[in-house]
Amino acid sequence: MTNRAFNFNAGPAALPLEVLQQAQQEFIDYAGAGMSIMEMSHRSSIFEEVNDGAQSLLRELFDIPGSYKILFLQGGASTQFAMIPMNLLTPGKVASFVHTGSWAEKAYKEAKLFGETAIAATSEAHKFNRIPSLSDIQIPANAAYLHITSNETIEGTQFQAFPKTGNVTLIGDMSSDILSRPVDVSQFGLIYAGAQKNLGPSGVTIVIAREDLVSDSPKTIPTMLRYDTHVKNNSLYNTPPSFAVYLVGLMLKWVQAKGGVAAIEQYNRDKTKLIYDTIDQSGGFYRGFADADSRSLMNITFRLGSEELEKQFVKESELQGFVGLKGHRSVGGLRASTYNAVPLESCKALAEFMADFQKRNG
Ligand SMILES: *Cc1c(COP(=O)(O)O)cnc(C)c1O
């Protein structure tokens, strides 16, 4: 019997047991090739099938229009913080940001290295416990793009709807909520996500971009940092993170088998309801960090009456097989990350543990 933890890690995060088991089964001999997927050329027809298969299944599941390119890159979402302004912040234009918290801040700071930036809206005055109201977003007239962080992983807030930006390109960092709910991709010029929260293991970053934005990058940028390099070469310009791409493919098949993205969203709502209800019905013993209408389906952030009690909560939870419930070091408190692959059973167990902990300490 495998002993699987109740894994609430923020990233890298839980993967479905079925996906791990399939990878295990194929680990030594992939598709009768007599070698692991890790041991074969990325120019082989077997790997090309893996690469193309993952792309086309992502296109199907996330309903990505044909006029968009899908890239599998390296360097994490953090490299996109720089690649986006390098490629898309043209002289005389302004990179504008909705400042929602820790990850938006990092994207914003990186863009400052390359040109003019502006904050189009911020919830800093509320310690980032909410997403700014869409009507408060002020996009500068000469904006190159508006960048949003669809889900703030650390604060536990999530856009419930996306700003309408007219002619201005909307860019979304969806690292922590890609494929957790249906999205109208055509509202965005570019979407990016590190895979290690909702899509697979670390090592590969997904970029989904409207073709015209990524097919003719400035020639002054290093080859590897130009989008058009990767577009022209189907993400095979240099050696790709082949095993990570393969696992993303398995994850996508798992999402498909679950009924697709809309079914996954319902599953995520059922999962998080168990925990948010426990918080809301605790009479103030547990205090949710995020405003109710900005709450994330991916990262549930909450606090207890004292840091001492929070420490005790973490300690006792670990003894009972829970992993990853300590909040991010920058904000403290507690956090349960409930990405796509986290099973309902883990959330049920956590809700029960929380109720029991309250009974003993309330
Ligand atoms: C985790 C995360 C990142 C950073 O991803 P890396 O792949 O580690 O660079 C960026 N943005 C958001 C919203 C994240 O959750």
Side-chain angles (χ1 to χ4, degrees):
M1 272 297 286
T2 340
N3 184 21
R4 299 274 295 162
F6 296 124
N7 185 351
F8 290 96
N9 275 332
L15 290 167
L17 181 59
E18 301 94 309
V19 164
L20 295 173
Q21 283 170 333
Q22 188 176 345
Q24 182 181 48
Q25 207 179 7
E26 300 173 332
F27 192 60
I28 291 175
D29 180 7
Y30 182 79
M35 58 186 137
S36 170
I37 194 94
M38 282 187 286
E39 302 175 287
M40 62 179 70
S41 168
H42 57 291
R43 310 280 174 209
S44 65
S45 59
I46 296 187
F47 185 72
E48 269 183 31
E49 233 169 80
V50 168
N51 194 48
D52 291 347
Q55 261 186 49
S56 57
L57 191 48
L58 179 60
R59 190 179 294 281
E60 181 187 325
L61 291 170
F62 208 38
D63 203 9
I64 301 170
S67 52
Y68 284 66
K69 295 286 181 187
I70 299 172
L71 304 175
F72 296 144
L73 307 182
Q74 297 189 65
S78 302
T79 296
Q80 293 309 306
F81 295 165
M83 251 175 104
I84 290 164
M86 287 174 101
N87 282 267
L88 302 176
L89 179 51
T90 43
K93 297 274 193 169
V94 179
S96 58
F97 290 80
V98 179
H99 191 6
T100 42
S102 309
W103 287 113
E105 167 102 7
K106 286 198 168 167
Y108 168 66
K109 282 200 169 146
E110 204 71 357
K112 275 183 170 303
L113 298 170
F114 299 99
E116 221 188 301
T117 54
I119 299 286
T122 176
S123 50
E124 189 167 17
H126 302 284
K127 297 200 165 77
F128 304 116
N129 77 343
R130 67 192 65 176
I131 300 293
S133 141
L134 297 189
S135 56
D136 288 344
I137 298 175
Q138 296 194 338
I139 307 173
N142 56 342
Y145 53 81
L146 177 73
H147 179 285
I148 65 167
T149 308
S150 58
N151 184 79
E152 280 286 1
T153 322
I154 291 172
E155 287 80 2
T157 59
Q158 187 175 28
F159 278 80
Q160 315 294 315
F162 300 117
K164 299 262 188 292
T165 54
N167 291 332
V168 175
T169 299
L170 180 62
I171 294 181
D173 175 0
M174 295 195 186
S175 292
S176 50
D177 70 350
I178 191 163
L179 233 56
S180 68
R181 54 178 175 175
V183 163
D184 178 4
V185 172
S186 72
Q187 256 188 280
F188 290 84
L190 188 150
I191 290 168
Y192 64 100
Q196 67 272 22
K197 284 141 190 164
N198 255 328
L199 272 184
S202 59
V204 62
T205 306
I206 316 299
V207 173
I208 300 164
R210 222 176 53 222
E211 200 167 354
D212 61 284
L213 292 174
V214 289
S215 46
D216 192 16
S217 310
K219 306 284 179 276
T220 49
I221 309 173
T223 311
M224 277 295 288
L225 298 176
R226 294 165 51 162
Y227 286 121
D228 64 358
T229 300
H230 303 287
V231 169
K232 278 176 200 141
N233 293 282
N234 194 26
S235 302
L236 296 172
Y237 171 74
N238 73 324
T239 319
S242 48
F243 193 71
V245 171
Y246 154 75
L247 271 174
V248 166
L250 293 188
M251 262 305 274
L252 292 168
K253 282 182 195 155
W254 178 84
V255 169
Q256 188 181 38
K258 278 265 174 192
V261 179
I264 285 276
E265 178 181 16
Q266 189 54 54
Y267 188 56
N268 288 333
R269 289 195 183 280
D270 294 343
K271 279 156 42 180
T272 47
K273 185 174 190 311
L274 292 169
I275 299 164
Y276 280 128
D277 280 355
T278 306
I279 292 171
D280 292 341
Q281 291 158 13
S282 71
F285 182 76
Y286 295 108
R287 286 178 283 122
F289 173 74
D291 252 22
D293 53 12
S294 293
R295 277 176 168 176
S296 167
L297 287 184
M298 299 280 99
N299 311 96
I300 302 173
T301 45
F302 57 101
R303 305 219 62 151
L304 283 165
S306 70
E307 278 183 30
E308 199 170 56
L309 203 54
E310 288 169 354
K311 266 190 200 145
Q312 193 188 328
F313 181 96
V314 170
K315 202 168 132 202
E316 286 186 27
S317 72
E318 284 170 354
L319 289 172
Q320 297 201 28
F322 294 91
V323 172
L325 292 171
K326 196 166 179 288
H328 190 271
R329 58 191 186 281
S330 64
V331 296
L334 302 158
R335 171 174 59 170
S337 297
T338 52
Y339 302 121
N340 287 353
V342 173
L344 184 77
E345 292 68 39
S346 291
C347 297
K348 248 186 211 156
L350 177 57
E352 278 163 23
F353 171 78
M354 287 171 71
D356 183 59
F357 186 84
Q358 180 175 3
K359 224 176 267 164
R360 286 181 286 109
N361 297 282

